[in-house]
C-alpha cells in the first residue's frame, strides 16, 4: 500500500478519498486554487499545495503543476477523483513519466474509451451492442445532416469527448439540426476542447442504466451490478439508485456480461462504468439495450453501489493501483437492499435549473439516519463556505440505504425534509418532489420523466401566513427560538414593543410584505399581515419553526422548502427607478458567448438575444417583452450575477 498519495481534485470527492486513505493509514496531499484556499478538502488533508488561480485552466487542469506538487511532497501516486484530469490520457502519461503511479486505468485504456465514436466502433468489434448512429470521423454539416435523416428523427447530437450532458442536443426536426449542431459544438469546445460530435438515434423511452466494473493488473475483471441514472435534467443526473427498478434476471445477466466483456476488451484496470441506454417502451428486455460510453474513472454516484454491495471502491482503487489483485471474486459480490443518491445543487429549479452562487450561511444535514435506514452525507463544504462560479455547484450528495426500494425512498424523502440550507438557492424541494412523484415512486422512470413533469416538480407553494409570521418575528428580533413544544413561552412578559406595534418589512421574491408585531396582554406576540395573508398569534405556532437568520435575511424551512425573506434596511436608499427600468440582468456569473441582436434592433418577446456560458453550459437569454434595444453586452464579456446584459429604450411618456 502507498504511504502517501496526492489527490488531484477538490470538493466532496477529494474529501471522500481522504477519508478512505486515512482509514488505511495513507497520508494525503491536497491541491488547491485561490478560490479553495480555505476549502474543506485542504483542511482535511495532511498537506496542501497551492497550484494556481481560480479558473480551472490555471489550476486543476494544470497537470504539470500537479505532478510537480506530488514530487515536491514525496507522494507516490496521484488519485484523480472525477472530472478535471481524471480521463485525460496525456496527464496519465505525465504521471507515469515522472515515476509516479496513476490511481486509475492506463492511458491506453482511457484513449480507447475517451472518444465516444471510437469507443463504439471498438465495442462493436467486441460484440457489445451499440446505439444505431453515425460514429465516423467526417464532421461536415452536410454529411451529419444527411446521416441524421438516414437514422431518422428524433436524433441526439453528442460531443464525442467528455460527458455530463455537455455538448448534447436532442433534435426533433431537420430544420432545427443546423442550430442544434452549432450549439453542441460550442459547448463541447468550451468544456472539452474538442467540438467534434456523433449523431445517434434518440430512443423514445430511454432508461440510463450503467454497470460498475472493476479490473486489476492480473487480467481479472468483475462487475458490481447496475445503477439506474434515468432521473436527469439537462442530460445530467440528479437521483441515482441501485439496483435498477424493474430489472429482470435476463437483462441483468446480459448487461453485466457485456460490461465485463467491454472492460476485458481494453485490459481495464481500476474502477470504471459501462453506460447503457435501454429502450423501456415495452418493458426491460435483454435485446433492447445498447452501449453508450465508458467512464474510465470513479463515478459521482459510486456510493449507491458501495451501499448495496458493502464495498469501498476507493479502497479497491488504492489496492489495485498499488499492485494487489481484486479484493473479491465475482461470486463473492452480492446485492443487499436498495440505495438512493440525491445530488444537492446550488441551482434554481424553477428557472430551468440555472446554477446559483452564494454563501452557505446555514448548512445543516440530518443528524441521524431515518428509522430503518443508513445514511451518508458526501460533501466538501461547510457552513460559511461560498459556492464559487468557477466550479460545479454541487453542495452535497445525500445517500440512503434500506431493506427495499420503498423503504429507501421513504428514507430519502425524510432526509431531504430535514436538510436545511440558506444563503443560496438550492434544489432540495425539487429533489423531494421528484422522490414523491407517482411515476418515480412506482419505478416507472426514463430520462424524459423530469422534463414531462418539470412544471409540477419545480412548483413551490407560496409561503403560508404562519411562515411569514415566523419570519417577521425573527426579523423583528423577538428573541431566540426555543426548541420546546410551545416556542414562544420564553417571550411571555417581554414588553420591548409596549402597546405600540413594531412595523417590519419583508421581501419574498417580488412581494413586499408589511408585518406589524405587537405584544398581547398575555405576553405573547401577534403578527398582523396585509392581504393575502392572515394575522397570526404566536400562540398558534405550536411547533417550533425551523429557521435561520443570516445577514439581511431570514429563511424559514417547511419540509424540503426553504422560504427566504429579505429584511430591508430601513435606512438604506434604493434606486427604485433603476430597478423598474426595462432591462435584462445576468441570472448568474458567466461569459457572454454569443450575441444575436444589436443596438437599435426591434425585438419581440421570447426572441433569443444572447447566450451566456456559465459552468461550461450555455443559457439563452431571451427578450422578456417587445421593444427596442438601447444597449447590449458584447461578446466575450465576463459578467457577474445581476449585471445588466440588455437595456431597452424607454417608451416616450
Amino acid at each position: 500500500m502507498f504511504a502517501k498519495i496526492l489527490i488531484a481534485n477538490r470538493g466532496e470527492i477529494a474529501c471522500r478519498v481522504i477519508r478512505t486513505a486515512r482509514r488505511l493509514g495513507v497520508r494525503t496531499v491536497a491541491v488547491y486554487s485561490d478560490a479553495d484556499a480555505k476549502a474543506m478538502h485542504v483542511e482535511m488533508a495532511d498537506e496542501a499545495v497551492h497550484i494556481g488561480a481560480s479558473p480551472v485552466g490555471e489550476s486543476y487542469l494544470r497537470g504539470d503543476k500537479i505532478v510537480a506538487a506530488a514530487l515536491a511532497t514525496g507522494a507516490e501516486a496521484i488519485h484523480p477523483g472525477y472530472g478535471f484530469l481524471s480521463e485525460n490520457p496525456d496527464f496519465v502519461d505525465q504521471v507515469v513519466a515522472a515515476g509516479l503511479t496513476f490511481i486509475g486505468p492506463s492511458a491506453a485504456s482511457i484513449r480507447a474509451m475517451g472518444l465516444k465514436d471510437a469507443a463504439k466502433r471498438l465495442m462493436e468489434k467486441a460484440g457489445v451492442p451499440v446505439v444505431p448512429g453515425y460514429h465516423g470521423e467526417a464532421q461536415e454539416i452536410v454529411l451529419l445532416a444527411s446521416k441524421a435523416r438516414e437514422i431518422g428523427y428524433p436524433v441526439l447530437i453528442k460531443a464525442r469527448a467528455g460527458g455530463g450532458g455537455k455538448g448534447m442536443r436532442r433534435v426533433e426536426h431537420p430544420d432545427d439540426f443546423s442550430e442544434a449542431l452549432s450549439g453542441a459544438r460550442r459547448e463541447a469546445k468550451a468544456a472539452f476542447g474538442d467540438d467534434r460530435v456523433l449523431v445517434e438515434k434518440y430512443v423514445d423511452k430511454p432508461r440510463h442504466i450503467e454497470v460498475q466494473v472493476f479490473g486489476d493488473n492480473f487480467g481479472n475483471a468483475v462487475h458490481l451490478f447496475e445503477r439506474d441514472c434515468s432521473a436527469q435534467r439537462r442530460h445530467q443526473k440528479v437521483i441515482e439508485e441501485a439496483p435498477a427498478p424493474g430489472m429482470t434476471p435476463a437483462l441483468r445477466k446480459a448487461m453485466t456480461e457485456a460490461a465485463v466483456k467491454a472492460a476485458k476488451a481494453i485490459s481495464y484496470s481500476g474502477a470504471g462504468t459501462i453506460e447503457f441506454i435501454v429502450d423501456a417502451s415495452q418493458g426491460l428486455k435483454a435485446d433492447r439495450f445498447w452501449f453508450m460510453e465508458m467512464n474510465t474513472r470513479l463515478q459521482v454516484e459510486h456510493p449507491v453501489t458501495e451501499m448495496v454491495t458493502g464495498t469501498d471502491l476507493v479502497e479497491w482503487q488504492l489496492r489495485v493501483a498499488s499492485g494487489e489483485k481484486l479484493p473479491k471474486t465475482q461470486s463473492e459480490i452480492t446485492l443487499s437492499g436498495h440505495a438512493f443518491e440525491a445530488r444537492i445543487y446550488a441551482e434554481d429549479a424553477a428557472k430551468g435549473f440555472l446554477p446559483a452562487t452564494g454563501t452557505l450561511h446555514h448548512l445543516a444535514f440530518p443528524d441521524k439516519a431515518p428509522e430503518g435506514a443508513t445514511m451518508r452525507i458526501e460533501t466538501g463544504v461547510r457552513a460559511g463556505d461560498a459556492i464559487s462560479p468557477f466550479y460545479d455547484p454541487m453542495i452535497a450528495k445525500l445517500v440512503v440505504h434500506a431493506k427495499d426500494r420503498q423503504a429507501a425512498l421513504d428514507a430519502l424523502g425524510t432526509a431531504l425534509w430535514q436538510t436545511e440550507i440558506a444563503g443560496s438557492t438550492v434544489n432540495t424541494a425539487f429533489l423531494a418532489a421528484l422522490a414523491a412523484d407517482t411515476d418515480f415512486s412506482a419505478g416507472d422512470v426514463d430520462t424524459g420523466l423530469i422534463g414531462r413533469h418539470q412544471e409540477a416538480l419545480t412548483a413551490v407553494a407560496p409561503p403560508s401566513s404562519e411562515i411569514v409570521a415566523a419570519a417577521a418575528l425573527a426579523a423583528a428580533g423577538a428573541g431566540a427560538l426555543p426548541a420546546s413544544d410551545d416556542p414562544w413561552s420564553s417571550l411571555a412578559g417581554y414588553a420591548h414593543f409596549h402597546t405600540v406595534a413594531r412595523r417590519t418589512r419583508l421581501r419574498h421574491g417580488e412581494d413586499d410584505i408589511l408585518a406589524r408585531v405587537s405584544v398581547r396582554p398575555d405576553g405573547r406576540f401577534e403578527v398582523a399581515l396585509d392581504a393575502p395573508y392572515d394575522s397570526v398569534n404566536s400562540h398558534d405556532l405550536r411547533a417550533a419553526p425551523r429557521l435561520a437568520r443570516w445577514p439581511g435575511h431570514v429563511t424559514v424551512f417547511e419540509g424540503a422548502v426553504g422560504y427566504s425573506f429579505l429584511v430591508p434596511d430601513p435606512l438604506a436608499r434604493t434606486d427604485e427607478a433603476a430597478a423598474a427600468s426595462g432591462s435584462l440582468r445576468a441570472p448568474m456569473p458567466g461569459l457572454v458567448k454569443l450575441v444575436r441582436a444589436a443596438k437599435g434592433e426591434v425585438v419581440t418577446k421570447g426572441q433569443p438575444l444572447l447566450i451566456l456560458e456559465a459552468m461550461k453550459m450555455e443559457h439563452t437569454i431571451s427578450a422578456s417583452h417587445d421593444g427596442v434595444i438601447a444597449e447590449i453586452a458584447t461578446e466575450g464579456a465576463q459578467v457577474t450575477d445581476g449585471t445588466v446584459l440588455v437595456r431597452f429604450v424607454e417608451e416616450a411618456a
Side-chain angles (χ1 to χ4, degrees), residues 429-454:
F430 160 73
L431 292 171
L434 178 57
D437 178 82
T438 302
D439 289 345
F440 187 83
S441 297
D444 184 13
V445 295
D446 62 79
T447 59
L449 184 148
I450 290 176
R452 292 193 301 274
H453 299 188
Q454 186 166 330

Side-chain angles (χ1 to χ4, degrees), residues 31-39 50-55 58-60 388 390-391:
V31 293
Y32 64 93
S33 67
D34 289 347
D36 284 339
K38 297 181 180 179
H50 177 252
I51 55 170
S54 300
E58 300 177 43
S59 51
Y60 296 107
S388 166
F390 296 103
Y391 314 118

Side-chain angles (χ1 to χ4, degrees), residues 339-378:
F340 284 95
E341 173 182 290
R343 302 188 189 188
I344 300 176
Y345 281 100
E347 66 180 15
D348 193 337
K351 293 183 178 179
F353 303 101
L354 286 177
T357 56
T359 299
L360 301 175
H361 291 284
H362 178 79
L363 180 64
F365 298 107
D367 55 7
K368 63 178 181 179
E371 185 176 356
T374 56
M375 179 179 66
R376 286 167 56 173
I377 304 294
E378 300 284 352

Side-chain angles (χ1 to χ4, degrees), residues 98-450:
L100 304 168
T101 298
F102 181 76
I103 302 174
S106 67
S109 292
I110 295 175
R111 287 191 175 98
M113 290 296 192
L115 298 177
K116 296 182 180 69
D117 51 357
K120 289 181 178 181
R121 292 194 294 269
L122 177 63
M123 289 300 97
E124 284 180 308
K125 292 181 180 178
V128 178
V130 301
V131 181
Y134 173 71
H135 310 130
E137 291 288 340
Q139 293 288 299
E140 293 80 7
I141 184 172
V142 174
L143 174 66
L144 294 176
S146 173
K147 293 296 182 182
R149 287 191 180 90
E150 289 179 16
I151 296 165
Y153 285 88
V155 299
L156 196 63
I157 300 172
K158 298 172 65 175
R160 76 169 196 161
K166 299 177 179 68
M168 186 180 294
R169 297 288 190 279
R170 176 181 174 175
V171 190
E172 297 282 351
H173 192 274
D175 292 345
D176 302 324
F177 187 83
S178 178
E179 185 171 354
L181 177 62
S182 297
R185 281 176 164 168
R186 283 195 307 271
E187 206 167 82
K189 184 70 174 178
F192 317 119
D194 185 343
D195 67 356
R196 287 170 290 182
V197 300
L198 49 86
V199 183
E200 294 181 342
K201 176 66 179 173
Y202 185 85
V203 179
D204 287 331
K205 190 176 181 182
R207 289 270 298 270
H208 180 140
I209 301 177
E210 58 190 33
V211 176
Q212 177 73 58
V213 294
F214 219 107
D216 62 20
N217 295 311
F218 300 91
N220 302 307
V222 296
H223 69 81
L224 290 92
F225 299 97
E226 81 282 351
R227 299 183 287 257
D228 194 299
C229 306
S230 301
Q232 302 178 9
R233 65 5 175 194
R234 299 173 62 162
H235 304 294
Q236 293 181 307
K237 306 164 188 174
V238 289
I239 294 183
E240 303 96 351
E241 59 181 300
M247 176 59 71
T248 65
L251 179 57
R252 175 174 288 147
K253 182 175 186 296
M255 289 184 72
T256 54
E257 287 180 354
V260 172
K261 185 185 297 183
K264 288 186 174 181
I266 57 171
S267 302
Y268 195 78
S269 176
T273 298
I274 310 296
E275 299 191 350
F276 295 102
I277 193 77
V278 181
D279 182 355
S281 59
Q282 299 177 9
L284 298 183
K285 297 185 176 181
D287 62 347
R288 302 295 290 170
F289 75 96
W290 302 279
F291 172 86
M292 284 199 303
E293 61 184 326
M294 181 178 189
N295 292 128
T296 52
R297 54 170 169 80
L298 196 66
Q299 290 279 84
V300 178
E301 58 272 22
H302 76 274
V304 294
T305 293
E306 294 182 323
M307 293 289 244
V308 297
T309 59
T311 57
D312 182 335
L313 294 178
V314 174
E315 178 180 346
W316 281 36
Q317 285 185 299
L318 296 179
R319 292 193 179 283
V320 166
S322 66
E324 298 182 23
K325 290 185 176 181
L326 286 174
K328 290 185 177 181
T329 63
Q330 190 66 70
S331 62
E332 294 173 316
I333 303 169
T334 57
L335 273 175
S336 176
H338 203 97
F340 284 95
E341 173 182 290
R343 302 188 189 188
I344 300 176
Y345 281 100
E347 66 180 15
D348 193 337
K351 293 183 178 179
F353 303 101
L354 286 177
T357 56
T359 299
L360 301 175
H361 291 284
H362 178 79
L363 180 64
F365 298 107
D367 55 7
K368 63 178 181 179
E371 185 176 356
T374 56
M375 179 179 66
R376 286 167 56 173
I377 304 294
E378 300 284 352
T379 186
V381 295
R382 303 146 298 188
D385 286 351
I387 302 299
S388 166
F390 296 103
Y391 314 118
D392 185 89
M394 183 188 290
I395 294 172
K397 301 183 308 194
L398 193 159
V399 192
V400 295
H401 176 263
K403 62 180 181 179
D404 55 39
R405 188 175 190 271
Q406 187 58 56
L409 194 58
D410 291 343
L412 178 65
T414 298
L416 286 167
W417 273 51
Q418 295 173 349
T419 298
E420 300 175 0
I421 305 173
S424 177
T425 303
V426 295
N427 68 338
T428 49
F430 160 73
L431 292 171
L434 178 57
D437 178 82
T438 302
D439 289 345
F440 187 83
S441 297
D444 184 13
V445 295
D446 62 79
T447 59
L449 184 148
I450 290 176

